[in-house]
Amino acid sequence: MMIRKANQNDRELVVSILWQAFKENKSVNYIAGKEEKSIRFLIEYSFERCIESGEVFISTDLKAVAMIQFQYQKKFTWKGIISDLKLILNTIGWTNIPKTLARESFIKKHYPKSPFTYLWYIGVDPKVQGNGLGTQLLKHVLFYSKTLKRPVYLETTLGKNINWYLKHGFKIYSKSDRFGFPLNFLRTE
């Protein structure tokens, strides 16, 4: 499997793959609820953020996607403010802003001050999961981040994913049940 950087033309495909992979994810549901439209908008928002200050990788067979972000490259822009407002209107809702901000603040406290690669999403089309596509994509992200001399950080709510990440060199450095579901923080060395 070959991997390439995604671009704006890949947006809908990326969103479709990740929506299918994350529609039952407790952390995503905590922010976006369970409606397809809201989850898709959250992933579209994430896609745009990663295009701006990170990378989006897609397999050339168009079945696997990873979105990474470089937190230190995030900049204050009017485009970003407008994007945040659209996220509030289309996904979070005004009443859920405090809950969402509390979650984001809690998660960010677990990150280092030095540059790192944040693996925001990695997903494979459910019809072809279990065939090694996710592993190949994760190895690509790890190699890419290693060339930048940065550790990779992520969080997951899925117990079945933890062993997969551990097998690929991640270590659990913190856990929390603060939001009503297990949230595991992992990083590479």
Side-chain angles (χ1 to χ4, degrees):
M1 171 181 80
M2 300 286 294
I3 298 165
R4 65 174 173 82
K5 289 183 181 180
N7 58 48
Q8 287 293 342
N9 294 332
D10 299 307
R11 181 180 178 182
E12 182 53 37
L13 179 63
V14 167
V15 171
S16 292
I17 290 169
L18 292 176
W19 171 75
Q20 291 176 48
F22 282 84
K23 64 184 175 184
E24 301 296 326
N25 182 283
K26 290 178 182 171
S27 188
V28 168
N29 296 152
Y30 184 80
I31 297 299
K34 291 191 174 204
E35 288 185 34
E36 178 180 350
K37 179 182 170 191
S38 295
I39 295 170
R40 289 178 74 87
F41 196 89
L42 175 64
I43 296 168
E44 288 171 3
Y45 169 87
S46 304
F47 177 86
E48 293 301 328
R49 290 302 194 162
C50 288
I51 291 289
E52 287 173 7
S53 60
E55 299 289 351
V56 179
F57 296 111
I58 189 166
S59 61
T60 54
D61 66 359
L62 309 178
K63 302 291 183 188
V65 176
M67 291 199 297
I68 62 173
Q69 190 176 44
F70 306 127
Q71 300 283 340
Y72 70 93
Q73 287 184 349
K74 287 171 58 176
K75 296 179 178 127
F76 174 84
T77 64
W78 288 111
K79 181 181 176 185
I81 296 295
I82 292 168
S83 184
D84 290 348
L85 288 172
K86 287 180 180 178
L87 180 67
I88 291 167
L89 293 172
N90 292 304
T91 298
I92 296 169
W94 294 108
T95 58
N96 288 327
I97 291 173
K99 169 178 99 167
T100 302
L101 290 176
R103 178 188 170 276
E104 292 304 306
S105 175
F106 178 77
I107 288 172
K108 285 181 181 176
K109 287 179 184 174
H110 288 81
Y111 295 148
K113 301 289 183 231
S114 57
F116 66 97
T117 299
Y118 176 60
L119 180 54
W120 201 345
Y121 292 95
I122 186 167
V124 175
D125 182 329
K127 295 179 212 107
V128 295
Q129 285 179 356
N131 292 322
L133 295 176
T135 294
Q136 290 178 47
L137 189 57
L138 181 60
K139 285 179 178 180
H140 180 82
V141 168
L142 293 172
F143 178 78
Y144 180 78
S145 191
K146 190 174 187 175
T147 64
L148 300 173
K149 297 182 170 91
R150 296 187 190 132
V152 178
Y153 280 70
L154 63 90
E155 65 272 346
T156 185
T157 61
L158 297 176
K160 70 180 185 176
N161 287 352
I162 293 172
N163 285 336
W164 184 67
Y165 286 119
L166 294 175
K167 187 169 91 172
H168 293 289
F170 284 85
K171 304 221 180 311
I172 298 171
Y173 67 95
S174 188
K175 295 180 180 186
S176 175
D177 288 321
R178 179 176 175 176
F179 303 104
F181 51 84
L183 189 59
N184 298 278
F185 295 86
L186 294 98
R187 70 173 180 225
T188 60
E189 295 300 322

